[in-house]
Amino acid sequence: MGKIKKIHTPLDKKTILSLKHGDKIFLSGKIFALRDQAHLRITQLFKNGKKIPFDIKGKVIYYCGPTPAKNRIIGSCGPTTSGRMDKFTGVLLNKGLAGMIGKGSRSKDVIQAIKSNGAVYFIAPAGAGAYLSEKVTSCRMIAFKDLGPEAVYELEVLNFPLVVAVDRKGKNIYDRLQMNCK
Amino acid sequence: MLRYVEAKKIEKVVEELCFEANIFLRSDVEKALKRSCCSEKKNSISREMMEILLENARIARRKNLPICQDTGVATVFVDIGQNVVIKGGLLRDAVTRGVKASYEKNCFRKSVVEDPLIRKNTGTNTPCIMHMDIVKGDRVKISVMPKGFGSENKSRIKMMNPTSTDKDIVDFCVETVKLAGPDACPPFILGIGIGGTTEYSAYLAKKALLRPVGKYNPKKHIQKIEKNIQKRVNGLKIGVMGLGGASTVLGVNIETAPTHIAGLPVAVNISCHALRSATCKI
């Protein structure tokens, strides 16, 4: 197991280039929590040529719907299954999205889009929402309040523990599983 | 002799069970996680992730935080003794109020949408799913299982042929785990329902998850299948978060029921490692 790389958002091209699948990462800075319904709305806004409520260029999004906070910054906030977002991801990457955090595998199309846009996909410890909430230093709802737990949140994280699952060359840590699970 | 149970009492108990299930990792699950953690290679990434999961359980307990942000659809099993009379309200209303109160008070996530296609959130995490059974006696046994959908989404059912072999059953279960892969938060606990009808096998699969991890089915021929599935699934080496290693399942629980001469329903309910439930007898 290699040592931990510390990186910050916004992710510049040089940082993304330095990341390899399997690398252990501590990520700090701003990330944006959004999931299914927010993806649907954002891609519909793009389709209709409208503005979206925040800029995604160079940003990192986190597939997450946290529990509400009770006398703290945020409740439990682990990743949700990334695969459900696959059908929206290509559009977001083409608009300049730099990175994604979630859990589980991605489709071939998404991996290809990560490669052609020079982006990166990370996984966070899944089912460890209480643990991850301790790494969040601020949380603010920024869009789609009516979606409740599926609203868009801007989070500030410190040393958020991640693993690079798909790097900018399209190398995927789950390739190994394709063999076992054929 | 009839025994009267207040609806208010049931409401209170359901409220407490929702809290307990979401905050305190089941001791059998935690023990299984610890065992699996020890079987991972020292300094491996899998070992480190397993340690994070155990740390997560400790933080949740200490800070009254949900183990997982997906506090699920509250699935409530109620076994009512036939000598029980519910007083002062309807049973279903009491259970619903208990779930609603707990999810609001404890800041659990409200993940239930009113209509599966329109998808407007009810804002209360209700209605819940209720499975009721009338049993012998004068007690009410309630189990609450908050089931997240990362794993629920990967559950499957197959109507097999009555002449299918044990191996056919095992193959289907292993295939289900392959399809779930790293997406459904391995290491898993598999609840499997064999027999009955389509919907009854699915119910049994969910109910099987209430049985402690590591406690095998008392029927020897079923136990053999449980162990066989466990061995083959761990051989897939999906491991925690799909990162490889020794632990792809923590346990396999099969429940069976009589079925029709023409069929053999098999349902597999996948649970993530954060298998949550709590039970109380009134």
Side-chain angles (χ1 to χ4, degrees):
Chain A
M1 191 174 58
K3 69 178 204 309
I4 298 166
K5 285 186 184 167
K6 288 195 174 193
I7 59 172
H8 289 260
T9 61
L11 294 181
D12 54 36
K13 290 282 167 208
K14 203 178 140 202
T15 307
I16 294 176
L17 261 174
S18 73
L19 301 174
K20 284 198 183 69
H21 68 297
D23 281 354
K24 277 176 55 190
I25 300 294
F26 274 171
L27 179 78
S28 300
K30 275 181 189 159
I31 59 175
F32 295 84
L34 60 151
R35 49 177 291 154
D36 307 67
Q37 297 299 326
H39 273 77
L40 180 61
R41 280 197 191 176
I42 284 172
T43 47
Q44 275 169 351
L45 287 170
F46 279 141
K47 205 172 156 194
N48 297 330
K50 297 208 172 113
K51 269 190 81 169
I52 66 160
F54 66 102
D55 187 18
I56 60 161
K57 209 166 163 50
K59 301 282 166 49
V60 173
I61 59 178
Y62 180 28
Y63 304 134
C64 173
T67 61
K70 188 184 181 186
N71 304 323
R72 52 185 290 124
I73 292 161
I74 194 169
S76 277
C77 57
T80 195
T81 311
S82 309
R84 293 198 314 274
M85 266 47 81
D86 281 354
K87 63 176 175 176
F88 306 111
T89 302
V91 175
L92 269 56
L93 287 169
N94 291 339
K95 295 277 181 187
L97 181 70
M100 297 146 288
I101 305 168
K103 65 163 162 122
S105 51
R106 306 307 302 258
S107 68
K108 276 197 186 108
D109 288 350
V110 169
I111 293 171
Q112 189 50 46
I114 287 171
K115 212 169 142 181
S116 53
N117 289 284
V120 59
Y121 167 57
F122 304 100
I123 51 171
Y131 176 87
L132 290 172
S133 80
E134 306 272 276
K135 316 284 178 193
V136 178
T137 56
S138 82
C139 170
R140 181 166 76 90
M141 188 192 290
I142 58 163
F144 307 150
K145 190 181 173 207
D146 62 299
L147 290 178
E150 296 200 80
V152 180
Y153 296 87
E154 182 192 85
L155 309 182
E156 192 114 21
V157 296
L158 184 66
N159 292 333
F160 210 64
L162 305 172
V163 175
V164 177
V166 181
D167 62 28
R168 66 101 46 238
K169 289 181 179 160
K171 289 262 166 46
N172 179 7
I173 49 162
Y174 295 131
D175 279 348
R176 171 191 58 82
L177 288 182
Q178 313 271 306
M179 304 291 291
N180 296 349
C181 292
K182 231 172 218 169
Chain B
M1 268 284 280
L2 293 181
R3 179 169 168 253
Y4 291 90
V5 174
E6 294 279 346
K8 195 81 200 154
K9 171 76 182 167
I10 290 176
E11 179 183 332
K12 209 70 216 157
V13 164
V14 168
E15 187 186 326
E16 282 162 12
L17 290 175
C18 289
F19 174 79
E20 188 187 326
N22 274 301
I23 305 287
F24 304 109
L25 187 62
R26 269 169 46 173
S27 60
D28 58 310
V29 177
E30 195 165 353
K31 265 183 215 148
L33 270 177
K34 275 183 189 158
R35 267 198 308 273
S36 285
C37 183
C38 292
S39 65
E40 298 295 351
K41 268 195 210 115
K42 277 197 177 135
N43 294 320
S44 69
I45 194 154
S46 303
R47 173 90 173 223
E48 195 175 328
M49 288 298 162
M50 296 293 277
E51 278 164 2
I52 286 180
L53 298 184
L54 290 165
E55 176 64 8
N56 183 66
R58 285 191 288 269
I59 292 172
R61 203 154 44 218
R62 203 167 57 231
K63 305 207 166 174
N64 280 355
L65 270 172
I67 296 159
C68 175
Q69 75 288 341
D70 189 352
T71 45
V73 168
T75 306
V76 185
F77 297 86
V78 187
D79 290 347
I80 312 162
Q82 66 172 5
N83 294 338
V84 172
V85 178
I86 310 285
K87 236 176 88 180
L90 295 174
L91 174 64
R92 187 174 285 276
D93 292 351
V95 170
T96 304
R97 276 200 302 273
V99 171
K100 194 173 159 181
S102 189
Y103 274 68
E104 187 53 45
K105 218 178 273 179
N106 300 305
C107 282
F108 296 155
R109 199 178 77 189
K110 287 83 179 172
S111 310
V112 174
V113 293
E114 174 76 44
D115 181 287
L117 301 179
I118 298 168
R119 305 202 73 84
K120 189 176 173 348
N121 199 303
T122 62
T124 60
N125 215 53
T126 62
C128 57
I129 299 294
M130 267 179 87
H131 298 295
M132 278 184 273
D133 201 2
I134 309 286
V135 298
K136 199 176 139 189
D138 62 357
R139 310 283 299 269
V140 182
K141 185 177 158 197
I142 305 176
S143 298
V144 174
M145 182 190 290
K147 186 69 170 25
F149 257 54
S151 59
E152 192 73 358
N153 278 339
K154 304 292 179 183
S155 300
R156 291 206 307 161
I157 184 162
K158 186 173 183 181
M159 302 304 282
M160 301 182 79
N161 283 328
T163 51
S164 298
T165 61
D166 286 5
K167 186 180 173 294
D168 295 332
I169 295 171
V170 174
D171 284 347
F172 172 66
C173 297
V174 173
E175 184 189 61
T176 301
V177 173
K178 281 182 190 176
L179 289 169
D183 292 12
C185 294
F188 304 128
I189 296 101
L190 303 182
I192 299 168
I194 304 178
T197 50
T198 40
E199 87 287 2
Y200 197 73
S201 66
Y203 158 77
L204 279 181
K206 179 65 66 68
K207 201 177 178 186
L209 292 171
L210 289 173
R211 200 204 309 155
V213 175
K215 195 175 165 197
Y216 291 102
N217 190 297
K219 290 178 194 151
K220 285 280 174 261
H221 68 293
I222 300 298
Q223 204 176 101
K224 206 173 123 196
I225 300 176
E226 288 176 331
K227 287 179 178 167
N228 200 352
I229 293 171
Q230 184 151 4
K231 195 173 153 204
R232 281 207 25 213
V233 168
N234 279 331
L236 296 175
K237 304 275 176 212
I238 295 171
V240 58
M241 278 174 74
L243 294 169
S247 331
T248 301
V249 282
L250 299 174
V252 178
N253 294 357
I254 298 178
E255 292 293 335
T256 60
T259 190
H260 189 276
I261 49 170
L264 176 52
V266 179
V268 182
N269 195 289
I270 293 195
S271 171
C272 58
H273 55 75
L275 169 57
R276 290 151 285 168
S277 72
T279 300
C280 178
K281 226 175 192 181
I282 305 171

